[in-house]
Amino acid sequence: MDLYEHQARELFAAHGIVVPRAEVTDSPDRAREIARGLGGRVVVKAQVRTGGRGKAGGVRLAADPVAAERAAREILGMDIKGHTVATVMLAEPVDVDREFYVSYVLDRSAGRFLAIASAEGGTEIEEVAAERPEAVVRVPVDPAEGVTSAVAARIAAAAGLPAQSVDVLVRLWEVLVREDALLVEVNPLVRTTRGRIVALDGKVTLDDNARFRHPRPDGERAASADPLEARAAAKGLHYVRLDGEVGVIGNGAGLVMSTLDAVAGCGARPADFLDIGGGASARVMADALSVVLSDPAVTSVLVNVFGGITACDAVADGIVRALEEVRLTTPLVVRLDGNNAARGRAVLAARAHPLVEQATTMDGAARRAARLATAASTAASTAG
């Protein structure tokens, strides 16, 4: 489960990491009162579980309480990558000297964690890594050893982070381990003009499998649920929304994870994880495609199914049914293999939808979906 920024910051503070004073509200009038209590000048930030808030106008500096109220009124209700802003966080501003990036993420393929750090924070780390990969360091972390002060010092030195960040790196690892997180990220981690190391933003993904160790009120879980994830859960689908552009649907968690890796290996970003399971019906397939196509960030969709209990012709029937219920405006790449694969391919060929094409291998399907997504993004940029 992804946390909102204010929830991530609460975890950071509980583990001794310095964060600016802040408060959350869903009321513009209350935003004015909060700003007054924080000294007048505040940063107003949309609370949505996705990136790109600043570029979308969801992060604004307000010079006084009246400006804070106005900013909150404009941000609340805003749509950011398909997420409607229901709350805003008002935080005291910080005088920044330098910005950095740090994170710990589970590296499933290697069976360990990975520390990712850069002396250039405050921007999309993907952009920095693409333009100047040498500016982003990746340090494997042995789960048995963890991040000791010595390990943290090596990470900081490799990334060019200040010595004061070592303690923060150790504490962030404590957040990861003690809260059963899969991802802990701070961007930016800043050094203030007074020399303090402060976490200005935070992103945390918790492992739902460890939820029994960290009970939270059901209301909190419901309030933090992504609308599409809630819609998918209501239909019995295993769906997790990601920050990419290629929608991914498959049968079986292992196959879906492999498909995500294949898409990423082709230079694109998966928009979701959606497992239709081992015995999915045509109705389930139709529901899955409907959910994925409802994400406005999706510019291509990849369906990767290996027929076993789930016969490929049933999957094909589900796709055809979904095309009758949902207006397809993004290209759909389908790879069917296994039980009744030939029959499933024939069903799709007979439907002959202009935006549906088939591929024979997973890698080939991933390459095609990635190219279609890139082409759509390029076309959108040119049109803009």
Side-chain angles (χ1 to χ4, degrees), residues 101-105 114-118 125 136-139 155:
Y101 173 94
V102 296
S103 71
Y104 295 115
V105 62
L114 192 63
I116 304 175
S118 174
I125 195 65
V136 180
V137 301
R138 296 168 173 81
V139 180
I155 295 170

Side-chain angles (χ1 to χ4, degrees), residues 6-358:
H6 69 89
Q7 294 171 322
R9 287 160 55 110
E10 289 169 5
L11 287 183
F12 293 166
H15 288 273
I17 298 168
V18 178
V19 297
R21 290 187 303 150
E23 193 170 334
V24 177
T25 183
D26 60 0
S27 164
D29 292 338
R30 177 61 183 152
R32 182 180 64 249
E33 298 173 7
I34 293 172
R36 186 177 293 115
L38 292 174
R41 185 167 173 264
V42 294
V43 180
V44 185
K45 308 179 76 175
Q47 295 300 283
V48 288
R49 299 189 305 165
T50 187
R53 292 176 300 169
K55 293 179 180 178
V59 179
R60 305 183 190 181
L61 179 64
D64 53 53
V66 173
E69 177 186 355
R70 182 169 58 250
R73 195 176 302 279
E74 293 172 353
I75 293 173
L76 288 168
M78 178 184 291
D79 182 277
I80 300 178
K81 294 184 178 179
H83 298 254
T84 301
V85 181
T87 59
V88 293
M89 182 181 72
L90 291 89
E92 60 180 356
V94 172
D95 293 324
V96 176
D97 175 36
R98 286 194 62 188
E99 297 183 340
F100 314 100
Y101 173 94
V102 296
S103 71
Y104 295 115
V105 62
L106 176 62
D107 184 351
R108 295 182 185 275
S109 62
R112 62 191 178 193
F113 284 91
L114 192 63
I116 304 175
S118 174
E120 300 183 23
T123 59
E124 296 288 344
I125 195 65
E126 293 86 357
E127 296 177 5
V128 176
E131 296 173 3
R132 295 187 347 333
E134 71 280 0
V136 180
V137 301
R138 296 168 173 81
V139 180
V141 177
D142 181 352
E145 179 184 9
V147 178
T148 62
S149 294
V151 173
R154 289 201 299 271
I155 295 170
L161 306 183
Q164 305 101 299
S165 66
V166 169
D167 180 64
V168 174
L169 290 171
V170 173
R171 293 179 185 274
L172 282 175
W173 178 258
E174 291 177 359
V175 173
L176 184 93
V177 174
R178 295 180 183 177
E179 302 297 336
D180 286 305
L182 302 174
L183 167 70
V184 173
E185 176 184 274
V186 183
N187 187 28
L189 179 72
V190 306
R191 181 175 63 198
T192 70
T193 53
R194 295 186 177 183
R196 299 179 74 199
I197 300 297
V198 179
L200 285 196
D201 200 346
K203 182 176 181 180
V204 173
T205 299
L206 301 179
D207 185 353
D208 274 343
N209 292 319
R211 183 173 173 76
F212 69 95
R213 287 200 289 259
H214 308 278
R216 292 180 175 84
D218 290 340
E220 178 183 330
R221 181 178 176 85
S224 66
D226 177 274
L228 277 183
E229 290 183 359
R231 175 179 163 189
K235 294 179 179 294
L237 298 173
H238 302 289
Y239 171 86
V240 179
R241 195 173 188 179
L242 306 174
D243 288 333
E245 60 282 341
V246 179
V248 175
I249 301 173
N251 63 324
L255 180 62
V256 178
M257 289 300 298
S258 296
T259 307
L260 298 183
D261 290 340
V263 169
C266 295
R269 297 180 305 164
D272 64 81
F273 170 104
L274 203 165
D275 174 15
I276 62 174
S281 64
R283 178 70 261 165
V284 170
M285 186 63 227
D287 286 342
L289 196 52
S290 176
V291 168
V292 171
L293 291 173
S294 296
D295 184 348
V298 169
T299 54
S300 73
V301 179
L302 169 55
V303 176
N304 185 22
V305 170
F306 185 84
I309 299 175
T310 302
C312 290
D313 56 337
V315 172
D317 286 338
I319 294 174
V320 171
R321 182 183 300 182
L323 295 176
E324 296 172 353
E325 301 174 0
V326 181
R327 182 171 174 267
L328 185 63
T329 58
T330 58
L332 174 65
V333 180
V334 183
R335 180 254 181 169
L336 301 176
D337 196 8
N339 184 17
N340 286 350
R343 191 179 302 171
R345 296 188 198 111
V347 170
L348 293 178
R351 177 61 177 81
H353 193 288
L355 289 177
V356 178
E357 55 185 89
Q358 301 189 56

